């Protein structure tokens, strides 16, 4: 006798969809891991380049002899993106701090994501006759940019996953239609109904 077809098991259509979903989820996870790795590298390169430019600009004006003149210069310079600039006296008193960034103000990436992509970049100290200039890399705005890109990528991946699953579910429903009739025919043969014949199928 042919093997009995046990009812209640996962259908072939559901198995196909589940397999495809697992493959696409694995692909999405790999894509996210790659995106986070690339984000960390690009943030590091971007902030390091900005820090070098800021340091070179400040070094060209390192010969300013009075703190008042340096504070005036820094006020005119304003905010340099990806850097916090501070001026301290020799005894540690802060004379100047660069204004906060207005780029995407009030927006922050999730803490877990910031921890994954934030590189460890030390501050740069420039000695002056009357104190110290401290240039501290500030990566939060670059992190927000990359977080926005990752959210867009995740949204597109989710939409693709839904669209492909709907398409495959419809195709599988059509393609497995003969299977139901084949199983029904085998079940009848199992009951000694050997006169059973299968119809001609429109699908290969």
């Amino acid at each position: 006798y042919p093997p009995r077809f046990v009812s209640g098991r996962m259908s072939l259509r559901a198995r196909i969809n589940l397999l495809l979903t697992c493959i696409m989820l694995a692909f999405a996870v790999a894509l996210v891991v790659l995106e986070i790795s690339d984000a960390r590298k690009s943030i590091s390169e971007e902030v390091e380049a900005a820090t070098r430019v800021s340091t070179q600009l400040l070094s060209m004006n390192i010969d300013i002899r009075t703190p008042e003149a340096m504070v005036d210069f820094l006020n005119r310079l304003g905010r340099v993106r990806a850097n916090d600039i501070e001026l301290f006296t020799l005894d540690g008193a802060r004379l100047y701090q660069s204004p906060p960034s207005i780029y995407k103000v009030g927006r922050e990436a999730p803490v877990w994501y910031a921890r994954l992509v934030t590189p460890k970049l030390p501050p740069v100290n420039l000695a002056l006759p009357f104190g110290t200039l401290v240039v501290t890399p500030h990566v939060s705005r670059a992190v927000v940019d990359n977080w926005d890109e990752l959210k867009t990528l995740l949204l597109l991946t989710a939409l693709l996953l839904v669209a492909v699953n709907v398409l495959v579910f419809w195709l599988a429903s059509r393609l497995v239609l003969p299977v139901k009739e084949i199983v029904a025919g085998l079940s009848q043969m199992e009951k000694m109904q050997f006169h059973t014949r299968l119809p001609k199928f429109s699908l290969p």
Side-chain angles (χ1 to χ4, degrees):
Y1 297 100
R4 183 178 300 274
F5 291 87
V6 181
S7 61
R9 290 180 179 176
M10 183 182 298
S11 67
L12 178 60
R13 181 176 54 186
R15 291 183 184 184
I16 293 174
N17 270 84
L18 180 60
L19 176 62
L20 181 66
T21 300
C22 291
I23 293 174
M24 292 195 64
L25 285 177
F27 173 76
V29 170
L31 195 63
V32 169
V33 171
L34 182 62
E35 178 68 19
I36 290 176
S37 177
D38 287 344
R40 181 179 176 86
K41 185 182 301 182
S42 66
I43 289 173
S44 178
E45 292 176 352
E46 175 186 346
V47 175
E48 283 182 355
T51 302
R52 283 196 299 270
V53 171
S54 299
T55 303
Q56 291 172 1
L57 176 62
L58 295 172
S59 298
M60 294 171 60
N61 296 271
I62 207 73
D63 57 346
I64 296 177
R65 294 298 177 183
T66 65
E68 293 78 14
M70 179 58 75
V71 170
D72 179 65
F73 166 73
L74 293 174
N75 281 323
R76 285 185 284 111
L77 177 64
R79 174 78 186 184
V80 180
R81 188 185 178 190
N83 288 125
D84 289 331
I85 302 175
E86 297 173 289
L87 174 62
F88 295 93
T89 63
L90 293 174
D91 58 2
R94 186 166 60 191
L95 297 178
Y96 172 85
Q97 181 177 18
S98 56
S101 174
I102 60 174
Y103 180 71
K104 294 187 177 181
V105 62
R107 300 261 326 272
E108 296 292 340
V111 176
W112 64 268
Y113 181 76
R115 288 177 179 173
L116 287 176
V117 301
T118 299
K120 296 180 180 180
L121 300 174
V124 177
N125 297 328
L126 298 176
L128 301 172
F130 49 83
T132 306
L133 271 172
V134 180
V135 181
T136 305
H138 188 84
V139 302
S140 66
R141 300 305 88 197
V143 171
V144 170
D145 280 345
N146 281 271
W147 171 245
D148 289 342
E149 294 175 5
L150 180 61
K151 286 195 301 183
T152 302
L153 178 64
L154 290 174
L155 177 60
L156 293 176
T157 303
L159 292 176
L160 179 63
L161 178 64
V162 172
V164 170
N165 268 278
V166 170
L167 177 62
V168 171
F169 190 81
W170 176 79
L171 287 174
S173 298
R174 183 171 182 270
L175 293 175
V176 302
L177 284 177
V179 176
K180 295 181 180 179
E181 297 189 42
I182 293 172
V183 171
L186 292 175
S187 296
Q188 290 181 0
M189 293 181 66
E190 187 181 24
K191 299 174 182 177
M192 303 297 182
Q193 299 177 10
F194 298 118
H195 62 280
T196 300
R197 295 293 181 271
L198 295 177
K200 293 183 179 181
F201 300 112
S202 59
L203 295 172

